[in-house]
Amino acid sequence: SILATVIQTAEPTAGGTISPSSPMGPKEVELILVKEQNGVQFTASALVTPTGQTHPSGEQRETWGKKIDFLLSVIGFAVDLANVWRFPYLCYKNGGGAFLVPYLLFMIIAGMPLFYMELALGQYNREGAAGVWKICPIFKGVGFTVILISLYVGFYYNVIIAWALFYLFSSFSGELPWVNCNNTWNSANCSDLNATLLNDSHKATPALEYFERGVLHLQDSGGIDDLGLPRWQLTSCLAVVIVVLYFSLWKGVKTSGKVVWITATMPYVVLTVLLLRGVTLPGAIDGIKAYLSVDFLRLCDAQVWIEAATQICFSLGVGFGVLIAFSSYNKFSNNCYRDAIITSSINSLTSFFSGFVIFSFLGYMSQKHNVALDKVATDGPGLVFIIYPEAIATLPGSSVWAVIFFIMLLTLGIDSAMGGMESVITGLIDEFKFLHRHRELFTLFIVVSTFLISLFCVTNGGIYVFTLLDHFAAGTSILFGVLIEAIGIAWFYGVDRFSDDIQEMIGQRPGLYWRLCWKFVSPCFLLFMVVVSFATFNPPKYGSYYFPMWANMVGWCLSISSMIMVPLYAIYKFCSLPGSFCAKLAYAITPETEHHMVERGEVRQFTVKS
């Protein structure tokens, strides 16, 4: 027989009286089990509901199975393909080690404060990117902005993972398909003579032709107005990616928190293995020296500082609503300050570490083909789908190394894609409560919708759609979104109030440094970045192909469609509130939990006389 005794401790209510059934605050429960089986065995255990699991409002919410699940999810999201194909090239191009000066400066004054801000915002309010704005209702539009941005990014980001999967399947062969020009997709311009090839713009490497002609079938498209039908091979790979995403997300953080144990850790294992192989190659040390060479004169160039600031904005993953969504499943008392420092530091160190892996192989390629390093150094998809596979193809056991490399790309991409999807799903089911009961169906709806739109990117001319989405979906719009976020918290909700919330969670108030960054430094930094983004805008192009005017207009409409949610929702909210103009304004900028103060004529931060 099993006997259970439950003892619930009473807690004082706000008025100071004792109420055993008070809904406010956590309850301590002691469970005593007495079990009899072939004799008598006594087992007593005390179960205490952690104070960290319940918000002061008494709201219960699903939490991560383990703290490490959350950390790995954040790291897995923030550490993505750009850490491998973007940062090392920027570092090399902008003064080597000298580039770390503006990079680390912007990390400290803007990157980490914004990262910390989003983690704390989600953890305290325990809702997705839109729901957290109950703290200042007129700003809820920015929540829908970041949800839309994450959705748009999913339209093309999953395609990169599908490419990596296609390459992975192609690597299971005796000879890699991108090593010679004897294939059906090769053109007359293909040449195996790589030594002279890199100096001849009229020739193409087998690796380049495999990517553009063998995988993308770009030769069958005349441009973005001649897409053709989806390629069945890439469509199949994309479908596999979507299925993996669905079954990683359908049950919430309980399932995704387990998947990241593989997807977030595997890249570090593979990067280490590739580095150990890379440094043994001839020319590798020269490549690493070029990566780290210090040229402080480059710091006089404003473009270096702009690129460092841009890299910080995009590499940490702020502004996608993902950090807010992930932290909303934390226990209330979780130390989000420590998490912000740990995860943002790991992200930057990973970028720096991957540079050694990339440039050891680029140095090898440079020496093998007897050309300058800048002839082989590049960034973007070209690095991981053309240059790096070409380098791997020259190694003994090349198929094995190719399989290892593309498994790394898959794991780098899949958890970042999971993060973007979770931002959309959590943001919308928290805003529309009836969706909570149908999480599996809603998740299926989101991933299938994403798959259908992504089909445009796996057509013959899909690379043009991909380039257009990559250029417009999360450029200026995401900088704008984070700027509005920072203004809403620092200047309307209030840094002091926000600091009180953090103190309530972790027991210590943010220092003066963090408060100054939130109030002044980060908003100014973001405003500068938004202005620079507009001022330095260049129309997208792919190789020598320039997009027609209508395509650029479509791109701008896509970008504006997310940003316009901020003023549209503000107008809607303002018009739907009761009372005079001043009363509407008071309701719009006051946390929903304090609207009773507005009814009494009190506004927390502003004095408005009607």
Side-chain angles (χ1 to χ4, degrees), residues 438-492:
H438 311 288
R439 163 137 190 157
E440 291 91 344
L441 281 175
F442 183 64
T443 302
L444 182 64
F445 170 75
I446 292 295
V447 298
V448 169
S449 301
T450 301
F451 171 74
L452 294 175
I453 300 295
S454 298
L455 289 177
F456 287 101
C457 295
V458 294
T459 56
N460 294 332
I463 189 65
Y464 301 124
V465 180
F466 173 91
T467 303
L468 196 71
L469 287 170
D470 185 40
H471 202 80
F472 286 102
T476 304
S477 56
I478 201 164
L479 296 172
F480 172 80
V482 185
L483 171 63
I484 301 300
E485 243 180 46
I487 291 172
I489 290 173
W491 289 93
F492 285 82

Side-chain angles (χ1 to χ4, degrees), residues 227-524:
L227 295 179
L229 295 173
R231 306 290 307 178
W232 73 263
Q233 299 94 332
L234 288 178
T235 302
S236 302
C237 291
L238 184 62
V240 172
V241 172
I242 292 298
V243 169
V244 171
L245 281 175
Y246 175 70
F247 285 107
S248 298
L249 295 168
W250 70 322
K251 293 292 186 183
V253 295
K254 296 298 183 186
T255 52
S256 64
K258 299 299 177 281
V259 174
V260 292
W261 280 75
I262 297 172
T263 59
T265 56
M266 179 68 76
Y268 292 96
V269 176
V270 177
L271 281 172
T272 303
V273 171
L274 289 173
L275 178 62
L276 294 175
R277 181 67 182 97
V279 294
T280 63
L281 297 171
I285 302 304
D286 294 332
I288 292 172
K289 283 180 180 177
Y291 170 53
L292 295 177
S293 63
V294 178
D295 180 8
F296 284 111
L297 291 177
R298 292 286 290 134
L299 297 183
C300 299
D301 184 353
Q303 190 62 29
V304 173
W305 293 81
I306 290 171
E307 291 194 343
T310 305
Q311 179 65 12
I312 286 294
C313 287
F314 294 111
S315 69
L316 287 177
V318 293
F320 289 95
V322 178
L323 301 178
I324 295 174
F326 280 165
S327 62
S328 72
Y329 296 109
N330 275 334
K331 296 177 181 178
F332 185 70
S333 62
N334 175 66
N335 192 335
C336 55
Y337 169 66
R338 183 179 57 204
D339 294 346
I341 299 298
I342 291 172
T343 50
S344 58
S345 299
I346 288 175
N347 176 66
S348 295
L349 289 172
T350 304
S351 297
F352 186 62
F353 176 64
S354 66
F356 290 90
V357 181
I358 296 301
F359 274 85
S360 62
F361 277 85
L362 291 181
Y364 162 66
M365 288 287 287
S366 173
Q367 179 169 314
K368 183 175 179 64
H369 300 317
N370 194 29
V371 295
L373 187 66
D374 59 2
K375 294 289 185 181
V376 293
T378 185
D379 65 341
L383 175 65
V384 295
F385 291 112
I386 300 171
I387 302 297
Y388 216 86
E390 186 179 344
I392 287 174
T394 64
L395 302 177
S398 56
S399 294
V400 175
W401 291 110
V403 167
I404 291 172
F405 177 70
F406 289 113
I407 285 176
M408 180 190 73
L409 291 190
L410 281 173
T411 53
L412 276 173
I414 203 75
D415 45 17
S416 296
M418 283 165 52
M421 290 283 189
E422 188 61 60
S423 168
V424 176
I425 295 163
T426 296
L428 292 177
I429 66 175
D430 282 345
E431 182 62 20
F432 306 103
K433 303 295 184 185
F434 69 93
L435 293 173
H436 268 290
R437 299 190 302 274
H438 311 288
R439 163 137 190 157
E440 291 91 344
L441 281 175
F442 183 64
T443 302
L444 182 64
F445 170 75
I446 292 295
V447 298
V448 169
S449 301
T450 301
F451 171 74
L452 294 175
I453 300 295
S454 298
L455 289 177
F456 287 101
C457 295
V458 294
T459 56
N460 294 332
I463 189 65
Y464 301 124
V465 180
F466 173 91
T467 303
L468 196 71
L469 287 170
D470 185 40
H471 202 80
F472 286 102
T476 304
S477 56
I478 201 164
L479 296 172
F480 172 80
V482 185
L483 171 63
I484 301 300
E485 243 180 46
I487 291 172
I489 290 173
W491 289 93
F492 285 82
Y493 184 60
V495 166
D496 289 338
R497 177 64 177 271
F498 188 56
S499 300
D500 291 341
D501 295 345
I502 293 174
Q503 185 173 18
E504 188 177 349
M505 290 189 294
I506 67 176
Q508 64 183 44
R509 190 177 176 82
L512 178 63
Y513 169 77
W514 297 102
R515 299 200 302 275
L516 286 176
C517 284
W518 288 329
K519 186 119 185 174
F520 301 107
V521 181
S522 295
C524 290

Side-chain angles (χ1 to χ4, degrees), residues 94 97-107 299 304-305 308-309 312:
N94 293 307
F99 180 73
L100 297 177
V101 174
Y103 179 83
L104 291 175
L105 174 65
F106 291 139
M107 167 67 79
L299 297 183
V304 173
W305 293 81
I312 286 294

